[in-house]
Amino acid sequence: MKSKYTYLIFFFVTILVSSFLICCRKEKEESNNNQLNINNTVASFDSFFSIDSGSAIFVNTGLYTDSVIWKLWNGTTYYQPAIEVYFDSSGTYDITLIVKNNLGSDTIKKYFVIEFNSTEFMNGNVKINKGCGCGFIAANFKINNYLPSQGNYLYNWNFDEPYTGSANTSTLPTSFHTFNLPGFFVVNLLIKDNLGNTIINPKDTIKVLTNPEDNIWFSPYIASLMEPTIHFYSDTNNLIYNKWYFGDGVNSEEINPQHTYTSSGHFSVIHVMKSVNGCIDYSINGVLINP
């Protein structure tokens, strides 16, 4: 009998110890899993340039980021996950990205060389900083050493864009105009002397290309970790390039991708597009994944 009780006690003690070890191991595994979800943030970003290099889109691709700060070469600061930047001259430009979470911050800086090939405009007598562009063109016009230094001249610019009203014309030898709509615009310059005689009347064309218009949607807009897969759709026409950023470090170049999230939270989904004419655009949308 004594031996029987001894065996029974040993059996129960073994079960208790095994249960304790299993519980401890489970708690340790849960602790390790929780530890994997706590990470230092990492800064990185992608860049996309338009056909004329007059603009570029920069997208945060960093990991474990709670907040984003962009700092440009001219001191301008932005706080959204993607930005579009415009350049108006050749040069080297630096873009800095700072990302933060509750464990700290990380910083990355990149340098970009922009080269504008100035177009000799209107038979070489007028120079414009670029002859075509996407979405809009901010153009500088000036007389390029054609007229004699002596004499008084009358200038009459017509930029062929009646939508801007009085700004469509100028009487200054050096002029500035922004073309806000896609199309071909015949710019006309009439120069007369002080007697009213026409000295020169050159014409040339400005070409404004169309930016792609983002038309996207996704389903569902709100999901949970029980069903964390989101389907994304785009029916934007005439695209040669398409990229989705899902906000958790994963991206896709499929037109209509689906993505399964592995953690809960708010995610900024960024869609970048490039049209057949080389113009770029982007959009930012929010996805909520409940626990």
Side-chain angles (χ1 to χ4, degrees), residues 2 32 40 76 107 139 148 163 168 217 220 246 254 259 262 269-270:
K2 183 177 180 181
N32 289 337
N40 291 318
T76 306
T107 302
Y163 314 102
N168 188 44
W217 68 97
F246 301 117
E254 296 182 19
H259 179 61
T262 59
V269 177
I270 302 169

Side-chain angles (χ1 to χ4, degrees), residues 31-66:
S31 176
N32 289 337
N33 288 336
N34 290 333
Q35 188 66 34
L36 290 175
N37 291 328
I38 302 175
N39 294 278
N40 291 318
T41 184
V42 179
S44 64
F45 64 89
D46 285 347
S47 56
F48 303 87
F49 287 82
S50 64
I51 185 175
D52 59 357
S53 296
S55 64
I57 292 172
F58 299 97
V59 180
N60 168 43
T61 59
L63 298 177
Y64 319 115
T65 63
D66 293 334

Side-chain angles (χ1 to χ4, degrees), residues 68-89:
V68 173
I69 303 174
W70 299 93
K71 292 188 175 181
L72 308 188
W73 68 95
N74 57 7
T76 306
T77 303
Y78 298 96
Y79 299 94
Q80 60 265 34
I83 60 173
E84 186 168 10
V85 177
Y86 297 93
F87 309 96
D88 58 6
S89 61

Side-chain angles (χ1 to χ4, degrees), residues 197-217:
N197 299 312
T198 298
I199 302 300
I200 190 173
N201 183 205
K203 299 179 181 180
D204 216 325
T205 301
I206 296 292
K207 182 180 180 181
V208 182
L209 303 173
T210 303
N211 269 331
E213 294 184 6
D214 202 4
N215 185 17
I216 67 170
W217 68 97

